[in-house]
Amino acid sequence: MALLLIEDDVLLAQTLETLLRDHDDRLDIITRGDHACDYLATPRPLDLVILDLNLPHRGGLEVLTTLRRHDRQTPVLILTARASVEDRVAGLDLGADDYLTKPFSLDEFEARVRALLRRARPTASDTLAMGQLVLHVPTQRLELDQVPLSLPGREQRLLACLLRHSEQVISRADLMHEAFGSDAPRAITPWKFMCTACVDALKAAMCAFARFAAWVIVWSRSRP
């Protein structure tokens, strides 16, 4: 596995480096935002990016924007002390896949890393479809009427979850948990707003393709 850790806290970076290298992962560590932007400006194979937001010289959100400009698929786990709903939504909207606030449990950190890596390496037989809309999960190739289409990584993971449950009603909390790996308490109201923001982003991305327009059907149903 090729991992990238972008973190300016030296002690934390050393601790996480020990954890990640114990799993025989190839790990690069960057401590400045501008260096991270330079690194990510050249596309390269990565299985996971772990990103702090409070970086010197350039902020983490700018680094995330640089990454998503060149790479829509690599999972991103944000580590930050910013715990507000607005900060979480901003990170997710820019393309992050999961969000862990500091201080955090190292066991939880490892669990989230494992979950993101599992989603990045699905089984070769996974194909999700509804009518002529088909997602080949191993390659992340999305097709409508056999015409290739491209969505940002976060929106495509959300679409995969919706396709997986196409014959079911799924709550917003369950949708967030399965699509993005968040294990926050499901009764917390702000997560409903975060799910709405993610679904809106998916709708906007799909409507950007004229052929997708007929597939965007909005039906809201609240569940306890």
Side-chain angles (χ1 to χ4, degrees), residues 130 133 158-159 162-163 166 168 170 175 199-200 202-207 209-221:
M130 177 181 286
L133 180 65
L158 182 60
L159 177 62
L162 292 171
L163 289 173
S166 61
Q168 306 168 5
I170 183 170
L175 181 62
V199 171
D200 286 345
L202 173 60
K203 287 158 48 183
M206 292 177 71
C207 284
F209 301 98
R211 300 172 62 82
F212 256 143
W215 287 84
V216 182
I217 302 175
V218 182
W219 176 47
S220 299
R221 175 174 176 178

Side-chain angles (χ1 to χ4, degrees), residues 12 22 27 33 35 43 55 62 83 133 137 139 169 194 196 199 206:
L12 178 59
D22 281 347
L27 177 66
H35 292 171
L55 296 168
E62 186 175 352
L133 180 65
V137 180
T139 60
V169 175
M194 293 179 63
T196 299
V199 171
M206 292 177 71

